Structures are given as structure tokens and as C-alpha cells.
Amino acid sequence: MTPEQLRDVVRTVVAAAVGRGALTVEVPDDVVIERPKNRAHGDYATNVALRLAKAAGRPPREIAGLLATDLAAQPGIASVDVAGPGFLNITLAQGALGQIAVRAVTAGATYGRTDVLAGQKLNLEFVSANPTGPVTLGSTRWAAVGDALARLLEASGADVSREYYVNDAGAQIERFGRSLQAVALGRPVPEDGYQGDYVETVAQQVVAEVPGLLEQPEEEQLAVFAERGVGAMVADIRSTLDGFGVHFDTFFSERTLHESGALEKAVATLREQGHVFETEGAVWLRTTDFGDDKDRVLVKADGEPTYFAADCAYYLDKRARGFDRVVILLGADHSGYVGRYKALVAAAGDDPATHLEIQIGQLVNLVRNGEQVRMSKRKGNFVLLTDLVDAVGNDAARYALARASVDQQIDIDADLWSRQTNDNPVFYVQYAHARISSVLRNAADLGLSLGEADGVDVTQLAHERESDLLRAIGEFPRVLTAAAELRAPHRVARYLEELAGTYHRFYDSCRVLPRGDEEATALTTARLWLCAATAQVLRNGLDVLGVTAPERM
RNA sequence: GCGCCCGUAGCUCAGUGGAUAGAGCAGGUGCCUUCUAAGCACUUGGUCGCAGGUUCGAUCCCUGCCGGGCGCACCA
């Protein structure tokens, strides 16, 4: 019996008690089934009696007592105890727990997936780093977390489109072009320009692409450097992210918004809604009507649209493309955007609470020799995605970045991460998978296989370590659902570490394969199913994080 | 000054109002003629920043304070 099935059973029992007048409460649609930390508290526990106490006007233990009797009579449940303030501690019948292994194996790659977000069309924007330089360590965090979140939402049934907003318009791009031009002409890079080895590389690439470029008038040169430079950077960013295993559905060009007249249209739309005003020669959006700190300029006094105007047009474009919800991952250095973004959504006539979601994540610091390395694109002194991957590999990099809560600033110790030691928990998890793979290979060599699902006797799985493992496997669907709802992919990583540990402890106490002259038994087959189920969950979980599940290590 | 995030074991960090607050690493003691010892068992280590409040119950919610990070442009 899975936790979900148990939840339904508990709800049915509550409803029955209400039906015959033993309780007068509304039957809750959601009943919390948890896995007690203390094994003495049964396989599962529910606090439903505590939750209902107030509404029923009766002491929780009394409610628990009457539910316990009914619950214990249900098939698949061995016993029910009332404990503490009114918890119901439930012990499942042996076979009921064992079915979890069969379910995980037969569901395969779909085990853990749900349809709780089915029908939702989401646009998930992340990374969106300026195309004026390579992908930095800071952006790498959002690449890892954003992609994991996308996979997580997909596992919950949502239709997710991964999007990267390319800021290929505006003064920053011109500055980038000027820097490339200066380098190509052998001049010093402007004060506010970009530095770093890549600037030279890109400049040379542009010069090589366009014969006679340096003989052209400087203004024409600049346009070429800006356009080709950005193109080269976008290509570089894209291939870097592809190599990292992060693939976007759309690279959305800001410039297309300028060129298509979408900005003017957006301003006009907002004006129709009655939230645009003009003063001091500029065009403003009255965002303060929607909770922003101050009103925001859409078109500057010099006639140039602001970045914010492009944001407005971009949001409207996403909505026009049919997305129910626009989700944006931003670094803490952009937290100031939230207020104006919510306001623009409201000003456009949408509801910020349903159509917009901005997730702010804290920054990543690099620590070297116990000292924080400051990162600045301008000075050309920064750590790149490729530096991290070169040092620790894709798997460790993705896992390490996805394993921490985005609310938490993380320090990456360069020395620690460049040492490839088992300090990195990803090895612990991957090792469990490799270990299981090895057991299953050895089983195959002995001519042993899982066989059909109806041929395995899961009541054989009665050892405490087997029960622990079955319960852990049974948690997986709920872990995915909760992680998706909370936008917290790191929960998946933490769960996998726990699952790996539970497997290692099982492995240590429970011999799977027959040794020497021993014959395979029904227990052997049941344990093979348990191993296969564990491996499946490890694969499914690692897949959400974009990390490989090696068969050998 | 205002806004957002954080403060949990020596270190890095989990912990969606529930039972005795956890993991990895680091320290200590054991376990390999047997399926991968990149493992396991035992052990050391906590005023959950401080003070109030709400609640049957608070690491979690509210308020204030202390400490750290990041923002507060007619920049992008």
C-alpha cells in the first residue's frame, strides 16, 4: 500500500465515522500521512485526529481512539495505535508495504510522476545572462536549478517551456561592441567597457568573419562588432549550456521586440488601461498604484525606451503565446525587479498572483584559500561555468548547485571542489546506484531475473531494513510533488541522499544473492525486486537533477 | 533609512505548526576469505542569533532587536 492509498483509506474511515454520526466534522480533502522518524511509531502516522479536534469539539485522543478501531479493520493494515497527543501510528501488513517495490519497478521511469499540474502551460525563464560574456558561476546556479525545476514541474504533469531572454539591445550591447572594436584596433578598452581574454577572442573571430572590416568607417564597424559579437556570445552561451545538459526551448531576442514595434504596442496597451502618464518629457507607468515603491519610466526624455518597457512587451508576448503562468528565476541582485514586475502585470489587467511568479535565488560566492573571490564581468575577473565543470565535472557541478535551497547563499570552496573526493554527496548517491547495478549484473550471471510481477512474493520482505527501504521508495512520489509545489528541487537531492543511505544499510544487513552452493529462494527474488525498485527511484531522482546514474564506478 | 534573503553541531547545509531537531564532512572506536569498504555500526558534538507574542503544541507563524548578504536609476 502506498502512502497515497493509505491517505484514501484514512479519509474513507473518517467519512464513515461522520456518516454514522460518531463524529460531526467536515471530512478533510487532504489528510496528512507522514513517515515517522521513530520506527517504534509504525510504518506511517497521521495527525488527522489532532487536526479535527477543534472542529469536532472533542479531545484529539478520543477522536484518534474511535478512528483507530475502524482503521485497524481495513485490509492491508496490521495495527493502529493512538500515541502522544493523538497521533495514529499505523503498521501495514507485510505484503501491503512490499507492493511498493512492485509498483516502482513496473512504473519504471514514470514512477513518481503525477498529474497534479496537468493542463498548466508554464513559461519558465531562467539564466538570461547578458550576451556580453560567457556563462558565469552565478548563472550556472540558475542553469542547474532552473532545469531541475523544469523537469520537476514536467514530472508533475505541467507543460513547461524553458526560455532564455537574450538582452541583445541597448547601451550595454553598444559598450560590448565598442570594447570588441577597441581590442581589434589595438586601442585600450573604454573605461566602461568589457575586459577579459574572451573579448579578444571574440574580436578576432569577428574580424576573421568579415573581410575588410577594419577598413570600413568606424561607425559601421561598431555595428558589425556589436551584432556579430553578441551572436558569437549567444552561440557560446548556448553551446556551453547544452554541454551542461540544459536545453532551452526558446532563446528570445529582446531586439525583436524593439524591431517589431512590440514596445510601442505594449506602451499603448498600458495606456489604454489608464496607467500611463507623462511628465518631465518622459513616459511613465504608474506602478505605485500596484504596490511598487516608485513609478517607472517607460520612455526616456530622449525618446529611448527603457529596459522596463521591453519587460512589459516581453511579458505581454509570453501571455499572447498562450502561457497560463510566467515563471522567472532571478538572482538576488535583481530582487528590486519584483515590485515593478508585479505592477506591470496588474497594470496590463492580469492577476500577478496567478499569472506571474518570480523566484528570487541567493547568490553563489566562490571561496579560494578561505577568501571570497569577487566576480565582476567588467574587470574580466570571474569564474565560469566551464571552470567549475572542468574542475568537478557536470554531475558534481549540477548536483552541488541543485542541492542547496535557493534561499541560501552558498559558498563554493574552489579548493574543495577542485579536489575530487567523496566530500561531494553526489558520489554517495551515484555509488548506491552503481552498487545495485553490480548486484543485478551478478544476478543475471547466475541466471536470476525478476520474473513477472505476479511471481514475486513480497511478504518475504520482512526485515527491518527492507521495510525502511520500502517506505523510502514509497515516499518518492510525494517528494516530487512537494518539491514541485514548493519550487524546491534541492529536496529531491536530499531525499536521494537519504534513500542511498537506506539502501547501503539494507545492503549491509541483507544478503541479496545466494552465495556458494546456496539455492536462490523466494526471498532472493523479492530482494532483487527491492534492489531494482531502489535503482529505478535513484535513476528517476537523479534524472530530475540532470545527473547521470552510472552502472559502474 | 526602506525592501527581500539568511543566521540550526567545529565546517558545509537539510528540516511544507507536531512526537527525542537531522545528514555529510571533520574527531574517536570497530567491521572486508562473502553481492562494489566511494560502504556499514557505535561514538563525540546543539541556549535552533537574542527577546517577546499567537497556539493544545513554534526551528517553522507575528513583532522588536543583533549580525551577515543583496537590492533601492529617465543603467542594463
Side-chain angles (χ1 to χ4, degrees):
Chain A
M1 189 186 299
T2 66
E4 292 73 24
Q5 291 165 332
L6 178 59
R7 179 196 60 204
D8 293 339
V9 169
V10 172
R11 202 188 304 158
T12 305
V13 165
V14 172
V18 171
R20 66 167 194 271
L23 265 181
T24 42
V25 286
E26 218 168 289
V27 181
D29 359 303
D30 201 31
V31 169
V32 178
I33 301 293
E34 56 181 17
R35 194 163 52 124
K37 290 169 211 151
N38 189 335
R39 204 176 297 104
H41 296 156
D43 291 323
Y44 293 102
T46 177
N47 62 357
V48 66
L50 291 154
R51 296 273 183 195
L52 294 178
K54 201 163 217 170
R58 294 166 62 181
R61 281 194 67 101
E62 193 181 314
I63 298 173
L66 83 92
L67 293 176
T69 315
D70 296 353
L71 212 43
Q74 298 292 315
I77 293 179
S79 65
V80 180
D81 295 312
V82 177
F87 288 101
L88 284 166
N89 292 335
I90 301 165
T91 302
L92 298 185
Q94 262 176 45
L97 198 55
Q99 279 305 320
I100 291 172
V102 175
R103 192 184 182 88
V105 173
T106 54
T110 66
Y111 180 67
R113 299 181 75 93
T114 65
D115 56 2
V116 293
L117 297 180
Q120 274 215 48
K121 196 171 173 211
L122 303 176
N123 182 284
L124 182 64
E125 182 197 332
F126 57 107
V127 184
S128 296
N130 284 344
T132 52
V135 184
T136 61
L137 177 64
S139 294
T140 307
R141 182 174 195 177
W142 312 126
V145 170
D147 187 53
L149 182 55
R151 292 168 191 243
L152 208 41
L153 293 167
E154 284 167 344
S156 294
D159 176 4
V160 181
S161 186
R162 295 164 174 78
E163 190 146 326
Y164 186 118
Y165 186 44
V166 182
N167 300 125
D168 53 1
Q172 196 125 255
I173 298 305
E174 196 186 315
R175 273 209 289 278
F176 183 52
R178 284 196 194 286
S179 301
L180 294 174
Q181 185 180 30
V183 168
L185 294 173
R187 298 176 189 162
V189 172
E191 186 76 2
D192 60 352
Y194 291 86
Q195 297 183 34
D197 295 343
Y198 76 94
V199 175
E200 194 155 329
T201 310
V202 173
Q204 282 168 2
Q205 189 183 327
V206 174
V207 170
E209 278 174 10
V210 185
L213 174 61
L214 298 182
E215 280 74 56
Q216 294 179 17
E218 295 208 356
E219 275 312 299
E220 286 173 34
Q221 275 182 27
L222 175 61
V224 172
F225 275 113
E227 168 145 10
R228 297 235 171 203
V230 166
M233 276 336 304
V234 171
D236 175 79
I237 288 167
R238 191 171 188 151
S239 74
T240 301
L241 291 170
D242 276 338
F244 196 50
V246 177
H247 313 291
F248 287 88
D249 298 293
T250 305
F251 277 80
F252 193 97
S253 159
E254 179 189 352
R255 207 172 58 185
T256 61
L257 292 173
H258 292 263
E259 290 171 351
S260 69
L263 267 71
E264 289 77 3
K265 246 162 71 183
V267 173
T269 301
L270 294 168
R271 199 188 293 274
E272 279 165 33
Q273 298 280 331
H275 307 297
V276 172
F277 67 97
E278 289 173 35
T279 187
E280 294 166 32
V283 180
W284 300 67
L285 182 66
R286 203 181 300 280
T287 54
T288 50
D289 280 353
F290 304 101
D292 196 12
D293 301 336
K294 55 191 75 168
D295 292 326
R296 306 290 170 177
V297 173
L298 291 167
V299 183
K300 298 189 266 184
D302 64 7
E304 287 294 310
T306 59
Y307 184 84
F308 181 60
D311 279 341
C312 295
Y314 186 32
Y315 170 75
L316 291 172
D317 184 273
K318 282 177 178 169
R319 291 284 288 142
R321 279 185 277 151
F323 293 106
D324 303 317
R325 197 175 176 90
V326 169
V327 185
I328 307 174
L329 304 192
L330 292 176
D333 52 343
H334 288 75
S335 61
Y337 276 34
V338 178
R340 77 193 67 165
Y341 223 106
K342 278 186 183 165
L344 91 80
V345 170
D350 278 350
D351 175 14
T354 58
H355 297 120
L356 177 72
E357 176 179 326
I358 299 182
Q359 296 288 334
I360 296 295
Q362 301 302 308
L363 305 177
V364 187
N365 292 309
L366 183 73
V367 174
R368 188 171 278 153
N369 301 324
E371 213 173 298
Q372 213 180 87
V373 180
R374 299 297 294 188
M375 287 176 279
S376 159
K377 275 196 190 184
R378 299 273 279 282
K379 296 204 175 110
N381 166 32
F382 45 82
V383 182
L384 304 178
L385 180 155
T386 45
D387 294 330
L388 179 61
V389 170
D390 287 349
V392 304
N394 265 355
D395 283 347
R398 289 195 64 151
Y399 190 93
L401 290 167
R403 146 178 224 271
S405 156
V406 292
D407 287 338
Q408 189 74 241
Q409 279 181 42
I410 48 177
D411 288 335
I412 293 192
D413 183 329
D415 308 311
L416 179 72
W417 287 95
S418 59
R419 275 199 312 270
Q420 193 151 345
T421 68
N422 61 353
D423 290 2
N424 189 339
V426 72
F427 293 118
Y428 183 80
V429 176
Q430 290 184 313
Y431 179 66
H433 186 266
R435 200 177 214 189
I436 297 170
S437 300
S438 173
V439 171
L440 295 176
R441 272 196 304 275
N442 293 339
D445 289 346
L446 293 171
L448 302 173
S449 66
L450 299 182
E452 295 303 313
D454 54 13
V456 57
D457 176 12
V458 291
T459 62
Q460 296 286 326
L461 301 174
H463 193 282
E464 189 176 293
R465 295 291 171 81
E466 292 167 335
S467 302
D468 289 344
L469 192 49
L470 287 166
R471 278 193 297 268
I473 291 166
E475 282 306 292
F476 186 58
R478 301 199 299 172
V479 169
L480 288 190
T481 305
E485 276 173 2
L486 297 167
R487 314 294 194 240
H490 74 278
R491 282 171 175 257
V492 178
R494 301 299 174 149
Y495 163 79
L496 291 175
E497 288 164 31
E498 190 190 317
L499 178 64
T502 307
Y503 181 79
H504 287 313
R505 285 185 285 278
F506 154 79
Y507 179 91
D508 197 57
S509 322
C510 300
R511 173 83 195 186
V512 177
L513 300 175
R515 46 185 124 194
D517 302 332
E518 293 173 1
E519 290 293 315
T521 63
L523 178 59
T524 305
T525 306
R527 284 183 172 167
L528 284 174
W529 276 80
L530 183 54
C531 287
T534 308
Q536 186 66 57
V537 175
L538 289 170
R539 275 196 295 278
N540 294 359
L542 286 169
D543 186 60
V544 165
L545 301 176
V547 175
T548 63
E551 308 251 320
R552 287 188 169 81
M553 289 175 77

